[in-house]
C-alpha cells in the first residue's frame, strides 16, 4: 500500500468555508481542442467546493483510504525539517500545486528512495527538478488543460486593469476621493493597441481568441507556427524572436512554461527592446523574468505596468520587490485555482492516481516525464534540466 504526501495551501484565515457565494458551477466536459475534461471513475466532492486548501484534501481521502493507502496532507513545505521533508522517506507519490509548490529539488528526491510519481495538481511542473526525476525514473504528470482557460481570463482581466488604470482608480473610491484626473492620467483604451503573447499554447491561444473582439492587433511568438486557418481567423502576426515581438507590442503577455531555455527571458537586456510604456502580464512563472530588472523598468518608465500572479519563490517573502514596486497589479498565485478550476484539477489528479494504481496508462497529454525522459506534454513544451534553483528562499515567508 502506498503513502501519498499531498502539499496544499492553507485554509482561509477565517476557517474552511461552510457555504459558498454560488450554488453551482458550469459543467465543462470538453476543452476547445476537443480534449475531454478529467474522467475519473468517481469523485467524492461537490463541484465548486474549496479543494485546493488543506481541509479540501483535493477530495482524495475517501478514495485513497478505501484502497488501503495512506494520505498525508500538509501545507508545511519549506525550511529545514518541514512536514514534507519528514514524510519523504517512505512516500511513493508526492502531489502539490503550483500555487503552493512543493519544490521537489534533487536533494528532496534523494531523500525519497521509494518515490515513484510526482503529480502537479494543476499545470506547470517546473517546481520539480525534471532532470533529477528523469535520472531516477520517476514519473511526473500534470493535469494539462485543467485551468488554461481560467488563466487566460485572468490575463485579460489584468491587461485591462493595467491599461485602464483600474486598481489605482478603485483605491481612490476606497479612500473616499473623487479624483478623476488622478485616475485617468494613466488610463488608456486597449482598442487599436498591439498585443502579443510569448507562446501560443493552450493559454496563449485562448488569450488571443478572447482579445479578438477588442479590435486590437494580435501577435505571437512560438517555436511552432499556428495553422494558417487560425492565423487568418485571428489576423495574427507570427514572430520568431522576442526582440521582434517586443519592438512592436504595447502589451505583452507571457504564456510559456518555465524551463532552462525560458528562465529569465525577460531581463535588463531584453527589456530594452520593449516600447517605452509597454505593459507586461505574466501569469506563466515568476522566474521567466529577472525580478529586479522588472522593478527597475517600472521605476524608470520603460514599463508602464506589470501584472500577473506568479512569483519566485512561492510564497513570496514579505520583502519581495514586486509587492511594492510602482504600477503593478500583482495577485498571489490564484489564476489557475478558481473554484471552477479546482473541480477539474482535483478530478484530474484522481484520474492520474486511478491509472497509476490500476496499472493503466496515464493520458499522454498529462505526462511530463516518464521512463527517464521527457514525455507527452513535457516532450512538446519543456526542455530537460532543472529550474528549481533558489527555491529554498521560500522558507523566508512568514505567515
Ligand atoms: P501549453 O503546453 O499548452 O503551452 C505552452 C506553450 O509554450 C507551447 O505552445 C510551447 O510551444 C510554448 N513554448 C515553450 N517554450 C517556448 C519558448 N522557448 N519560446 C516560445 N514558446 C515556447 O501550456 P499552457 O498554455 O496550458 O500553460 C503554459 C504555462 O502557463 C504552464 O507551463 C505554466 O507555467 C503556466 N500556468 C500558470 C497557471 C497559473 O495559475 N498562473 C496555471 C496554468 C499554467 P511549442 O509549440 O514550441 O511547444
Amino acid at each position: 500500500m502506498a503513502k501519498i504526501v499531498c502539499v496544499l495551501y492553507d485554509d482561509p484565515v477565517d476557517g474552511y468555508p461552510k457555504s459558498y457565494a454560488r450554488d453551482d458551477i458550469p459543467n465543462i466536459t470538453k476543452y476547445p481542442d476537443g480534449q475531454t475534461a478529467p474522467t475519473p471513475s468517481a469523485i467524492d466532492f461537490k463541484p465548486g467546493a474549496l479543494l485546493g486548501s488543506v481541509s479540501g484534501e483535493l477530495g482524495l481521502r475517501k478514495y485513497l483510504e478505501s484502497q488501503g493507502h495512506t494520505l498525508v496532507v500538509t501545507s508545511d513545505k519549506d525550511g529545514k525539517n518541514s512536514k514534507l521533508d519528514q514524510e519523504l522517506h517512505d512516500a511513493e507519490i508526492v502531489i502539490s500545486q503550483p500555487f503552493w509548490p512543493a519544490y521537489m529539488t534533487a536533494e528532496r528526491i534523494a531523500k525519497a528512495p521509494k518515490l515513484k510519481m510526482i503529480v502537479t495538481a494543476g499545470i506547470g511542473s517546473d517546481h520539480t527538478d525534471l532532470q533529477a526525476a528523469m535520472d531516477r525514473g520517476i514519473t511526473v504528470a500534470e493535469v494539462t488543460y485543467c485551468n488554461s482557460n481560467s488563466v487566460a481570463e485572468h490575463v485579460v482581466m489584468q491587461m485591462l486593469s493595467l491599461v485602464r488604470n483600474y486598481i489605482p482608480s478603485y483605491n481612490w473610491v476606497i479612500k473616499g476621493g473623487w479624483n478623476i484626473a488622478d485616475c485617468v492620467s494613466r488610463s488608456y483604451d486597449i482598442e487599436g493597441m498591439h498585443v502579443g503573447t510569448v507562446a501560443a499554447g493552450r493559454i496563449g491561444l485562448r488569450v488571443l481568441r478572447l482579445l479578438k473582439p477588442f479590435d486590437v492587433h494580435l501577435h505571437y511568438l512560438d517555436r511552432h507556427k499556428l495553422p494558417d486557418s487560425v492565423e487568418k481567423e485571428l489576423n495574427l502576426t507570427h514572430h520568431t524572436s522576442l526582440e521582434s515581438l517586443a519592438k512592436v507590442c504595447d502589451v505583452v503577455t507571457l504564456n510559456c512554461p518555465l524551463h532552462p531555455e525560458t528562465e529569465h527571458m525577460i531581463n535588463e537586456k531584453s527589456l530594452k527592446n520593449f516600447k517605452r510604456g509597454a505593459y507586461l502580464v505574466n501569469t506563466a512563472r515568476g522566474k521567466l523574468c529577472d525580478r529586479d530588472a522588472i522593478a527597475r523598468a517600472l521605476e524608470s518608465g520603460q514599463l508602464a505596468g506589470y501584472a500577473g500572479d506568479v512569483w519566485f519563490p512561492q510564497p513570496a517573502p514579505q520583502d519581495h520587490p514586486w509587492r511594492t514596486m510602482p504600477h503593478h497589479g500583482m495577485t498571489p498565485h490564484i489564476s489557475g485555482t478558481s473554484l471552477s478550476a479546482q473541480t477539474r484539477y482535483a478530478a484530474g489528479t484522481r484520474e492520474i492516481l486511478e491509472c497509476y494504481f490500476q496499472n493503466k496508462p496515464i493520458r499522454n497529454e498529462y505526462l511530463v516525464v516518464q521512463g527517464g525522459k521527457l514525455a507527452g506534454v513535457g516532450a512538446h513544451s519543456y526542455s530537460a534540466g532543472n529550474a528549481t534553483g533558489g527555491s529554498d528562499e521560500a522558507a523566508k515567508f512568514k505567515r
Side-chain angles (χ1 to χ4, degrees):
M1 291 296 109
K3 182 167 109 181
I4 297 101
V5 179
C6 187
V7 175
L8 300 176
Y9 46 79
D10 288 311
D11 284 346
V13 287
D14 295 334
Y16 191 74
K18 294 189 174 62
S19 66
Y20 292 90
R22 295 182 50 78
D23 296 328
D24 58 14
I25 59 168
N27 181 23
I28 310 289
T29 55
K30 263 199 179 143
Y31 302 121
D33 71 351
Q35 183 188 314
T36 54
T39 49
S41 63
I43 52 169
D44 298 317
F45 56 83
K46 185 172 181 310
L50 178 60
L51 303 165
S53 75
V54 170
S55 297
E57 299 184 321
L58 294 179
L60 292 174
R61 186 170 296 279
K62 191 171 162 203
Y63 157 65
L64 287 172
E65 291 186 345
S66 71
Q67 309 283 310
H69 304 302
T70 304
L71 175 66
V72 176
V73 180
T74 182
S75 64
D76 183 14
K77 69 182 185 74
D78 297 307
K80 283 204 172 73
N81 209 26
S82 67
K83 176 83 171 154
L84 167 63
D85 283 292
Q86 290 169 32
E87 297 290 345
L88 282 176
H89 64 101
D90 58 351
E92 186 166 327
I93 299 175
V94 170
I95 303 171
S96 83
Q97 313 164 95
F99 324 104
W100 188 258
Y103 289 107
M104 291 303 289
T105 57
E107 296 73 40
R108 278 205 165 126
I109 287 175
K111 281 189 194 170
K114 297 191 170 164
L115 190 62
K116 300 265 177 29
M117 183 163 74
I118 301 173
V119 180
T120 302
I123 305 174
S125 297
D126 49 278
H127 55 276
T128 290
D129 182 335
L130 297 182
Q131 192 59 52
M134 284 187 258
D135 295 346
R136 265 278 304 278
I138 293 168
T139 296
V140 180
E142 59 185 47
V143 191
T144 301
Y145 232 144
C146 64
N147 54 13
S148 302
N149 292 350
S150 325
V151 178
E153 291 183 11
H154 205 84
V155 171
V156 174
M157 172 186 83
Q158 291 195 316
M159 270 182 193
L160 292 171
S161 302
L162 290 180
V163 173
R164 303 199 59 83
N165 209 32
Y166 171 57
I167 297 171
S169 307
Y170 171 82
N171 282 333
W172 276 114
V173 171
I174 301 295
K175 286 186 277 190
W178 192 257
N179 300 44
I180 296 173
D182 292 278
C183 297
V184 301
S185 57
R186 293 185 69 90
S187 173
Y188 299 89
D189 296 346
I190 201 167
E191 181 184 6
M193 286 189 174
H194 287 255
V195 183
T197 175
V198 173
R202 293 169 181 83
I203 297 174
L205 180 57
R206 179 74 168 184
V207 169
L208 293 169
R209 285 195 194 287
L210 295 180
L211 285 173
K212 172 82 173 141
F214 284 91
D215 288 333
V216 290
H217 305 276
L218 295 170
H219 301 253
Y220 77 101
L221 160 68
D222 203 295
R223 301 178 297 192
H224 299 105
K225 224 166 160 294
L226 289 167
D228 289 348
S229 57
V230 177
E231 286 200 344
K232 205 166 156 207
E233 172 204 338
L234 300 173
N235 196 16
L236 300 178
T237 305
H238 178 237
H239 296 261
T240 52
S241 73
L242 176 61
E243 182 177 350
S244 135
L245 179 99
K247 277 193 164 145
V248 295
C249 284
D250 305 288
V251 186
V252 173
T253 167
L254 306 181
N255 295 300
C256 57
L258 170 65
H259 52 89
E261 263 175 49
T262 58
E263 186 168 339
H264 289 164
M265 68 194 304
I266 307 294
N267 52 42
E268 198 79 50
K269 189 164 165 244
S270 59
L271 278 164
K272 292 203 171 90
N273 295 320
F274 280 65
K275 287 176 75 172
R276 193 191 79 83
Y279 303 90
L280 185 57
V281 174
N282 174 15
T283 52
R285 282 298 177 262
K287 240 195 192 183
L288 295 174
C289 297
D290 177 321
R291 185 192 70 173
D292 296 331
I294 293 293
R296 280 194 296 271
L298 288 167
E299 277 151 19
S300 73
Q302 178 60 13
L303 288 179
Y306 181 93
D309 67 332
V310 285
W311 308 64
F312 188 79
Q314 291 189 174
Q318 261 76 19
D319 62 355
H320 195 295
W322 291 4
R323 290 183 186 270
T324 50
M325 63 192 180
H327 312 305
H328 82 78
M330 294 297 296
T331 61
H333 192 166
I334 57 165
S335 65
T337 185
S338 57
L339 296 177
S340 323
Q342 289 178 36
T343 295
R344 292 186 293 274
Y345 70 67
T349 303
R350 170 138 172 195
E351 180 186 326
I352 291 169
L353 293 173
E354 286 180 358
C355 290
Y356 175 85
F357 287 121
Q358 293 168 22
N359 277 322
K360 287 189 190 155
I362 294 168
R363 289 190 203 200
N364 197 44
E365 64 255 33
Y366 288 172
L367 291 173
V368 178
V369 168
Q370 196 176 48
K373 51 184 198 299
L374 292 172
V377 77
H380 187 85
S381 294
Y382 289 76
S383 62
N386 171 31
T388 64
S391 54
D392 47 342
E393 286 277 292
K396 278 173 64 189
F397 177 76
K398 302 252 180 327
R399 293 181 213 192

